[in-house]
């Protein structure tokens, strides 16, 4: 990956200041600057599996993907460079986690796009590492402070849950539909009929809502769930456990870690990566589904009605149908036939 995000370009304006720093990079790491910036030491921690894939090729064991950073992830570091995400509770979780591990006196840099709400970092860290804005460019802000005291961090305090159709849905910051069922998923669920059977794969499982509701009225389904987000993977596992449901849940960049074939693939695919609009994941999902569907199996997805997925579905499967729609969303179905492009 050669292109840098606007946030990374702002950091590069200060590259001379980082040459002697021992840095832990974290947050919304959308490029490979952590592997390319000249420093005394560079480590990285990410909750996003596709960001880990990008950095792993260059950083090896100096980058780790997990829900919670541990002491070994920040070993010997004296500087944090944190890329602010679009989700404030997610930033709170990650920053409190990281700052609880760093030594007092560490340099703290927070960078992000203005529209992401990066200004919130000043208030969030006011009692721990008072920040000053040191640069503004590319519609981004860069803030610096020094860690004055360590926060206490308990990941369990960040869990949330809500009830849905007699089920308990467990969630964490950064997980889609954290506070309740979104309209798109609700529309997709309305098309899933009771007594569904066979192997079902939920791609981009979030909090595990789709799989849990499906299994609640179709107990003979065999569930597999995957997501790029560590919080989503952990939330889905917790949702299944809370409702005494079984399923295989793991991290995957769409199909990167998926093996085997399924009778149904369901998804409410994202069309953002951080603050940027991106159709890549959904197009990879549609085109890759034919390699993971049994003959006669189906792909069923919900998407904003304006997104250009019908053409990709027709190019891949030969046809598609709309099962349900509102003014904003459509549920698409495509069936695996001999005409599908493997």
């Amino acid at each position: 990956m050669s292109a840098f995000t606007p946030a990374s370009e702002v950091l590069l304006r200060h590259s001379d200041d980082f040459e002697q720093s021992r840095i832990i990079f974290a947050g919304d790491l959308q490029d490979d600057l952590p592997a390319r910036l000249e420093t005394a030491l560079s480590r990285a921690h990410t909750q996003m599996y596709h960001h880990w894939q990008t950095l792993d090729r260059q950083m090896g064991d100096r980058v780790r993907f997990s829900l919670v950073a541990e002491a070994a992830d920040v070993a010997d570091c004296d500087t944090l460079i944190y890329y602010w995400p679009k989700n404030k509770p997610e930033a709170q979780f990650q920053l409190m986690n990281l700052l609880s591990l760093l030594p007092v006196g560490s340099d703290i840099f927070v960078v992000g796009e203005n529209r992401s709400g990066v200004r919130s970092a000043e208030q969030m860290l006011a009692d721990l590492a008072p920040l000053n804005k040191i640069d503004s460019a590319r519609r981004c802000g860069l803030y610096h402070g020094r860690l004055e005291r360590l926060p206490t961090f308990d990941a369990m305090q960040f869990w949330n849950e809500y009830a849905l159709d007699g089920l308990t849905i467990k969630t964490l910051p950064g997980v889609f539909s954290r506070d309740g069922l979104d309209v798109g998923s609700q529309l997709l669920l309305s098309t899933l009929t009771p007594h569904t059977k066979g192997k079902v794969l939920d791609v981009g499982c979030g909090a595990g809502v789709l799989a849990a509701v499906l299994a609640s009225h179709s107990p003979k389904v065999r569930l597999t769930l995957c997501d790029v987000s560590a919080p989503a993977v952990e939330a889905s596992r917790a949702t299944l456990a809370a409702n005494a449901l079984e399923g295989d849940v793991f991290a995957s960049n769409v199909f990167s870690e998926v093996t085997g074939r399924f009778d149904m693939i369901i998804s409410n695919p994202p069309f953002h990566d951080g603050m940027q609009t991106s159709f890549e994941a959904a197009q990879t999902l549609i085109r890759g589904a034919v390699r993971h569907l049994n003959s006669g199996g189906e792909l069923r997805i919900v998407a904003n009605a304006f997104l250009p997925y019908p053409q990709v579905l027709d190019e891949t499967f030969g046809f598609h149908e709309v099962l349900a729609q509102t003014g904003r969303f459509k549920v698409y179905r495509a069936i695996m036939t001999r005409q599908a492009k493997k």
Side-chain angles (χ1 to χ4, degrees):
M1 187 182 298
S2 58
F4 289 125
T5 63
S8 286
E9 290 179 350
V10 174
L11 287 169
L12 283 169
R13 290 156 57 101
H14 302 263
S15 57
D16 292 348
D17 298 334
F18 299 124
E19 290 181 359
Q20 303 304 314
S21 299
R22 306 173 72 83
I23 302 175
I24 174 70
F25 292 84
D28 193 15
L29 305 175
Q30 292 190 52
D31 58 34
D32 63 352
L33 182 67
R36 296 171 61 181
L37 189 65
E38 188 173 333
T39 67
L41 171 70
S42 290
R43 297 184 183 275
H45 180 267
T46 178
Q47 293 184 338
M48 302 301 286
Y49 192 75
H50 59 311
H51 296 166
W52 173 83
Q53 285 179 310
T54 297
L55 295 171
D56 177 61
R57 291 188 287 269
Q58 301 171 74
M59 298 180 72
D61 61 7
R62 290 182 293 114
V63 57
R64 197 166 74 91
F65 162 80
S66 65
L67 174 65
V68 177
E70 299 175 355
D73 299 317
V74 303
D76 303 321
C77 292
D78 58 19
T79 302
L80 167 65
I81 292 181
Y82 183 78
Y83 286 75
W84 188 265
K86 66 178 181 180
N87 184 290
K88 186 176 177 181
E90 181 181 359
Q92 179 90 19
F93 181 103
Q94 294 172 355
L95 281 169
M96 294 307 107
N97 177 197
L98 291 158
L99 296 182
S100 72
L101 301 171
L102 286 165
V104 168
S106 294
D107 284 297
I108 309 299
F109 292 89
V110 178
V111 64
E113 295 190 38
N114 294 328
R115 62 179 175 151
S116 72
V118 66
R119 296 181 187 89
S120 301
E122 289 184 278
Q123 182 178 0
M124 185 180 293
L125 300 185
D127 296 331
L128 302 171
L131 299 177
N132 293 304
K133 193 172 190 178
I134 60 172
D135 201 356
S136 181
R138 300 301 310 274
R139 298 179 181 175
C140 293
L142 174 61
Y143 299 80
H144 171 258
R146 282 198 170 82
L147 185 59
E148 295 181 353
R149 67 180 185 87
L150 305 187
T152 56
F153 173 76
D154 180 3
M156 295 304 297
Q157 294 181 349
F158 288 86
W159 281 92
N160 191 21
E161 65 179 54
Y162 59 91
L164 176 68
D165 296 337
L167 297 170
T168 298
I169 309 301
K170 296 281 196 175
T171 65
L172 280 166
V175 176
F176 185 63
S177 292
R178 174 176 177 247
D179 300 316
L181 184 64
D182 63 285
V183 177
S185 293
Q186 190 170 6
L187 186 64
L188 177 56
L189 285 174
S190 73
T191 71
L192 296 174
T193 56
H195 313 300
T196 300
K197 299 178 181 179
K199 296 173 63 178
V200 177
L201 172 65
D202 182 354
V203 179
C205 55
V209 176
L210 297 179
V213 173
L214 176 61
S216 71
H217 61 58
S218 299
K220 292 187 177 181
V221 295
R222 286 169 286 165
L223 297 174
T224 300
L225 295 76
C226 64
D227 203 294
V228 295
S229 158
V233 169
E234 295 302 325
S236 283
R237 286 174 178 159
T239 293
L240 293 184
N243 298 286
L245 300 171
E246 294 185 359
D248 187 18
V249 189
F250 53 88
S252 181
N253 181 4
V254 193
F255 294 115
S256 70
E257 311 305 314
V258 174
T259 58
R261 290 181 179 271
F262 301 84
D263 300 300
M264 178 185 286
I265 297 174
I266 57 175
S267 185
N268 182 351
F271 63 97
H272 288 97
D273 188 357
M275 293 298 298
Q276 311 307 317
T277 298
S278 175
F279 307 131
E280 182 178 352
Q283 292 187 7
T284 300
L285 168 70
I286 295 169
R287 294 196 169 102
V290 293
R291 295 190 295 275
H292 293 283
L293 282 171
N294 290 320
S295 179
E298 69 167 273
L299 171 68
R300 192 178 300 198
I301 64 173
V302 63
N304 288 69
F306 70 86
L307 296 173
Y309 298 153
Q311 179 180 349
V312 184
L313 287 163
D314 289 343
E315 289 173 355
T316 305
F317 288 89
F319 79 104
H320 76 277
E321 58 182 313
V322 177
L323 296 181
Q325 67 182 87
T326 64
R328 291 180 56 202
F329 295 98
K330 290 183 178 180
V331 176
Y332 300 103
R333 176 168 67 178
I335 307 295
M336 181 67 178
T337 65
R338 291 181 180 179
Q339 287 72 41
K341 294 182 179 179
K342 296 184 181 179

